[in-house]
Amino acid sequence: MKGTKLFALAIFSTAFLSFTPVSKKYIVIDAGHGGNDMGATRNGISEKEVVLNIAKEIKETGRSLENYDIILTRDSDSYSQLKDRTDMINKLNPEMVISLHINSSPHPESVKQGQEIYTQNSEASKKLAEKISQKFNPSKIEGEKNLHLLRESKAPTVVVELGYINNTKDREYMTSEKGQKEIAQKFVEAFNEY
């Protein structure tokens, strides 16, 4: 009887310990603009809405990640100061930060299209940019840029321009359900490989 209880206790302990939650690291997705700040606009479509939808899709798709939890800097049409965003990011101490934006050019229809990635002056940021770039055919890595989020975030951070709002092909892709799901999937694949 005593042996049976010890055996049962050993089985329970092993089962319990094997289900102990793993400490996950954070990935922060910053959907640019928000609230009164529309960002780039075209044909009634605003950057703030498109990047928020894609950020939410990344969070949803990223639920399958074993090692990461995805945190959004905003999950509604709200605006917060850049300083508040970077303060939140630095408090969380995430593994990486991706700030989502959409490009625009002064022309009614841009001949330019595709993604552009901006980095911090750090190897970790450049490595993250490279992983993301490879998922997008590859996208153009523009290098360092003097942007608040890149300057003030202590975590490896990149700013990703997802395409041109005034390029019809880019705009239709970024605003379609299929396009948003594909973009989210590419980011999640990049996170898995980082």
Side-chain angles (χ1 to χ4, degrees):
M1 185 72 170
K2 191 174 182 183
T4 308
K5 284 184 182 175
L6 283 175
F7 180 72
L9 182 62
I11 296 289
F12 173 76
S13 298
T14 304
F16 179 75
L17 290 173
S18 67
F19 291 110
T20 303
V22 178
S23 166
K24 289 188 174 186
K25 297 175 183 174
Y26 295 125
I27 295 172
V28 173
I29 306 295
D30 173 57
H33 308 283
N36 292 331
D37 181 1
M38 306 286 282
T41 58
R42 178 71 179 199
N43 295 351
I45 296 166
S46 67
E47 176 179 2
K48 70 172 186 171
E49 292 170 6
V50 177
V51 295
L52 178 59
N53 290 339
I54 292 170
K56 287 178 175 179
E57 194 62 48
I58 293 170
K59 183 175 174 81
E60 185 59 36
T61 305
R63 289 189 193 283
S64 63
L65 292 168
E66 289 182 19
N67 299 320
Y68 299 110
D69 275 334
I70 295 177
I71 309 288
L72 304 182
T73 57
R74 68 182 181 95
D75 59 5
S76 63
D77 185 18
S78 59
Y79 177 80
S80 61
Q81 297 293 325
L82 287 171
K83 182 184 182 317
D84 295 336
R85 292 182 193 206
T86 49
D87 285 350
M88 178 193 118
I89 288 164
N90 291 332
K91 215 173 273 183
L92 284 170
N93 190 27
E95 188 75 2
M96 64 188 92
V97 180
I98 291 84
S99 185
L100 303 176
H101 290 269
I102 296 176
N103 250 328
S104 184
S105 71
H107 310 290
E109 178 68 20
S110 174
V111 292
K112 286 185 173 182
Q113 68 179 96
Q115 301 77 26
E116 293 177 357
I117 305 173
Y118 296 94
T119 66
Q120 298 165 306
N121 181 17
S122 77
E123 286 310 308
S125 174
K126 291 170 185 168
K127 177 184 170 191
L128 177 57
E130 189 59 41
K131 292 289 182 197
I132 294 168
S133 169
Q134 291 308 310
K135 297 298 173 184
F136 289 94
N137 297 326
S139 43
K140 191 173 180 186
I141 300 175
E142 296 287 345
E144 297 169 41
K145 193 164 185 180
N146 187 20
L147 299 170
H148 180 88
L149 212 66
L150 295 175
R151 257 192 345 264
E152 301 301 323
S153 172
K154 294 175 183 162
T157 303
V158 293
V159 171
V160 181
E161 300 278 359
L162 295 165
Y164 281 79
I165 202 162
N166 61 324
N167 176 286
T168 301
K169 186 176 177 185
D170 276 1
R171 184 175 61 254
E172 286 176 353
Y173 182 68
M174 291 182 294
T175 57
S176 73
E177 185 179 338
K178 177 180 183 277
Q180 291 180 0
K181 285 185 182 305
E182 286 179 2
I183 290 167
Q185 184 60 44
K186 288 176 184 182
F187 275 106
V188 170
E189 288 169 10
F191 302 156
N192 266 325
E193 294 173 15
Y194 180 71

